[in-house]
């Protein structure tokens, strides 16, 4: 009788634990529906078409950064420099359109918009490579390495124009560099171009993480770096890749924001790294590494984007917005840790029941 009672109690605990674990895994969806319902009630015109398009643009910016941040965090790292890379890449794009590149003997080379975009993305990748080299070759902690790069990139953005804005990035027809606004303001089938680009990048990242060996190595390195190294995985190459990819994503955001505003400002992207981290963690990426999904990160980015825009529509102070975002990050990490502990308990109970 005692054994039967114990078995029944174990079964009840197992069912409860499994239900709680399912809820925790679905926390991002729950949070998304919660913020949509809340702001649709308390924020005027929240569900209007124009506002939904605007929010999708803002959420897209967070999502690009969060995708790159997800890969970095899965390896057990962090990238604090992405916001500054956004600002620097935006300034470079604006400078290439307005001034071109001055060559010796008084010549100036101007680039078309596609070439400008490629150059800017290469710059983002190179800055990510610098982060990767500092971490893998010089053994600098990711937090310190990317914090230093944050200041360097922001300083370079400010130096580029002496702290001034580069306005009216319309280009000139005779130079063949018009059309920059299409990236930030254009639409295809009713959706902003930036959203379509996000779809392509997100699907590519998800496929890469699931089916490409290097993508699977990212999870292995985050789960157990020492075991990964012993099994033949080139850990340094994996880390280099994730920081370069994070820089690439930041460069895209720099292009999108500058295109949307048709101006480049050196302070663009300030604190966007916090939104990216919040979106990734809220989407289920573990800060301890080894776990995360691109789909969850995208949903987390939309939660952060909707939360920010909804608070603005309600007239909430920007100071309180910072407080709320900070609390979101803390709660997300606490829930993630609770999920890990609960997962371990459920696994132990399943083993005990099976035994």
């Amino acid at each position: 009788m005692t054994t039967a009672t114990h078995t029944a109690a174990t079964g009840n605990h197992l069912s409860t634990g499994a239900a709680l674990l399912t809820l925790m895994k679905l926390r991002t969806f729950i949070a998304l529906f919660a913020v949509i319902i809340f702001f649709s009630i308390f924020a005027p015109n929240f569900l209007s078409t124009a506002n939904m398009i605007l929010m999708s643009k803002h959420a897209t910016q967070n999502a690009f950064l969060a995708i790159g941040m997800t890969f970095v965090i899965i390896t057990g790292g962090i990238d604090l420099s992405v916001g500054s890379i956004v600002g620097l890449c935006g300034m470079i794009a604006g400078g290439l359109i307005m001034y071109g590149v001055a060559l010796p003997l008084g010549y100036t080379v101007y680039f078309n918009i596609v070439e400008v975009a490629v150059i800017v993305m290469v710059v983002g990748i190179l800055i990510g490579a610098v982060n990767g080299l500092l971490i893998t070759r010089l053994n600098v902690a990711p937090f310190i390495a990317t914090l230093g790069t944050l200041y360097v990139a922001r300083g370079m953005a400010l130096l580029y124009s002496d702290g001034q804005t580069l306005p009216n990035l319309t280009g000139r027809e005779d130079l063949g560099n018009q059309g920059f606004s299409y990236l930030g303001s254009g639409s295809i089938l009713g959706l902003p171009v930036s959203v379509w680009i996000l779809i392509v990048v997100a699907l590519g990242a998800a496929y890469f993480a699931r089916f490409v060996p290097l993508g699977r190595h990212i999870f292995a390195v985050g789960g157990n770096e020492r075991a990964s190294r012993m099994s033949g995985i080139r850990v340094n190459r994996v880390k280099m890749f994730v920081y370069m990819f994070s820089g690439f994503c930041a460069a895209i955001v720099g292009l999108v924001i500058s295109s949307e505003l048709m101006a480049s400002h050196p302070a663009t992207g300030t604190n966007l790294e916090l939104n990216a981290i919040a979106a990734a963690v809220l989407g289920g990426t573990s800060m301890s590494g080894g776990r995360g999904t691109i789909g969850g990160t995208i949903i987390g980015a939309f939660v952060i984007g909707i939360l920010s825009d909804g608070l603005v529509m309600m007239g909430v102070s920007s100071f309180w917005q910072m407080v709320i975002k900070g609390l979101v990050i803390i709660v997300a990490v606490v829930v993630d840790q609770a999920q890990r502990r609960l997962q371990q308990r459920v696994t132990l109970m399943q083993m005990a029941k099976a035994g």
Side-chain angles (χ1 to χ4, degrees), residues 80-148:
L80 300 178
S81 66
V82 290
S84 295
I85 296 175
V86 168
L88 178 58
C89 287
M91 292 301 296
I92 291 175
L96 290 174
I97 293 172
M98 289 190 68
Y99 307 123
V101 176
L103 299 177
L105 303 178
Y107 291 100
T108 301
V109 177
Y110 290 89
F111 303 92
N112 62 44
I113 298 304
V114 174
E115 292 168 341
V116 168
V118 171
I119 292 171
V120 169
M121 287 186 286
V122 169
V123 170
I125 292 171
L126 290 176
I127 298 174
V130 171
N131 283 332
L133 288 172
L134 289 172
I135 293 165
T136 59
R137 300 300 180 185
L138 300 180
N139 294 320
V140 180
F143 182 90
I144 300 301
T146 58
L147 179 63

Side-chain angles (χ1 to χ4, degrees), residues 39-78:
F39 288 121
S40 63
I41 296 173
F42 295 101
N45 301 319
F46 176 78
L47 295 179
S48 65
T49 302
N51 188 58
M52 295 300 290
I53 292 175
L54 181 62
M55 286 193 299
S56 69
K57 287 184 177 180
H58 293 168
T60 295
Q61 297 167 12
N62 292 332
F64 277 122
L65 294 178
I67 290 172
M69 189 68 72
T70 296
F71 281 158
V72 170
I73 294 177
I74 288 174
T75 63
I78 196 74

Side-chain angles (χ1 to χ4, degrees), residues 130-318:
V130 171
N131 283 332
L133 288 172
L134 289 172
I135 293 165
T136 59
R137 300 300 180 185
L138 300 180
N139 294 320
V140 180
F143 182 90
I144 300 301
T146 58
L147 179 63
T149 311
L150 178 154
Y151 284 110
V152 171
R154 184 65 68 191
M156 292 176 66
L158 291 164
L159 288 168
Y160 192 84
S161 65
D162 197 24
Q164 302 299 310
T165 299
L166 301 180
N168 304 320
L169 303 180
T170 55
R172 289 166 48 185
E173 185 176 356
D174 58 314
L175 298 176
N177 60 357
Q178 291 182 315
F180 187 53
S181 62
Y182 184 72
L183 181 61
S185 303
S187 63
I188 301 175
L189 299 177
L191 284 178
V193 172
S194 57
V195 174
W196 287 108
I197 297 174
L198 173 65
I199 292 172
V200 172
V201 172
L203 290 176
Y207 178 86
F208 177 84
R210 187 176 180 86
F211 298 107
V212 177
L214 180 57
R216 295 195 293 271
H217 291 169
I218 293 173
F219 290 87
V221 169
N224 191 322
E225 181 175 330
R226 186 167 179 268
S228 299
R229 199 182 299 274
M230 293 178 65
S231 65
I233 294 175
R234 299 171 63 181
V235 173
N236 287 349
R237 187 184 73 162
V238 172
K239 291 185 177 181
M240 283 289 297
F241 170 80
V242 297
Y243 285 99
M244 292 169 68
F245 182 69
S246 181
F248 167 76
C249 292
I252 293 178
V253 177
L255 287 167
V256 169
I257 294 178
S258 295
S259 173
E260 184 178 340
L261 300 176
M262 287 305 287
S264 297
H265 191 278
T268 299
T270 302
N271 293 331
L272 283 186
E273 61 274 3
L274 302 181
N275 287 353
I277 295 170
V281 174
L282 187 60
T285 303
S286 174
M287 291 296 292
S288 58
R291 179 162 52 85
T293 64
I294 299 300
T297 293
I298 298 298
I299 298 172
F302 273 84
V303 171
I304 297 298
I306 292 172
L307 181 63
S308 299
D309 288 352
L311 291 173
V312 170
M313 294 180 68
M314 290 181 64
V316 176
S317 166
S318 60

Side-chain angles (χ1 to χ4, degrees), residues 1-12:
M1 186 67 179
T2 303
T3 302
T5 303
H6 176 72
T7 302
T10 302
N12 291 334

